[in-house]
Amino acid sequence: TCSLFHCSQQRPPYGPTGSGLRARTNPDHNLHSLPVSKQGLLVTFNMSRDGDKLKIVAESSNNTTTPITNYVFQAAVPRSIQIALSAASSATIAPNGTVHQEMMITNPTKATLKMRIKIAYSSGGVPAPEIQETVSAFPVSF
C-alpha cells in the first residue's frame, strides 16, 4: 500500500523509493504516469501537455476478484489552479477492469501542483473505506 509518491526531475522509471514509487516517463510521448494504490484499487495519473493546460487521465483499475460499484473519483487543487473534471467512463469497474476520467488543469501562476483526491465505492455490495490522498509528486515540468 502506498500513500504519497515522489518524482525527481530526471523522471526515472518505476522503482522503490522509500514508501512510494517514482513517476514513470515515456519520453517519446511526453507522458508521465503516477500511481496510487489502495485496497485493491490502482489509480494511475497519465499526464501530458495540451497547449498551456495539463491533461491528466486518471485510469482506475480493479485488482480484486469482486466488482467495484458506485465508483466516484473527486479531485481538488489549490485555488490558484483551475481543474475541469469530466465524468468517469463508468461507475462500475469489473474485476481486472478499468475506467477512465479526464482532468484538465490550468495553472496560470505556475504554482506547485498538489491535488487532493477522494475516492468512494462499494465492493461486493459493501461500502469500502473512503480513500483520501494528497498527491504532490507531479513532475516539475508540469
Side-chain angles (χ1 to χ4, degrees), residues 18-94:
S19 65
L21 300 173
R22 288 186 171 147
R24 176 177 55 184
T25 301
N26 180 339
D28 296 333
H29 297 100
N30 193 28
L31 181 71
H32 301 265
S33 296
L34 187 67
V36 175
S37 181
K38 291 270 187 163
Q39 303 164 188
L41 180 70
L42 172 67
V43 180
T44 304
F45 296 103
N46 296 304
M47 299 168 272
S48 61
R49 278 272 169 212
D50 187 357
D52 63 342
K53 296 181 181 182
L54 171 61
K55 178 180 177 181
I56 301 175
V57 177
E59 181 178 275
S60 303
S61 301
N62 178 0
N63 295 322
T64 71
T65 58
T66 307
I68 288 176
T69 57
N70 305 315
Y71 179 77
V72 177
F73 175 93
Q74 298 174 311
V77 294
R79 292 182 190 265
S80 63
I81 301 172
Q82 291 115 32
I83 184 170
L85 185 64
S86 66
S89 58
S90 177
T92 301
I93 311 174

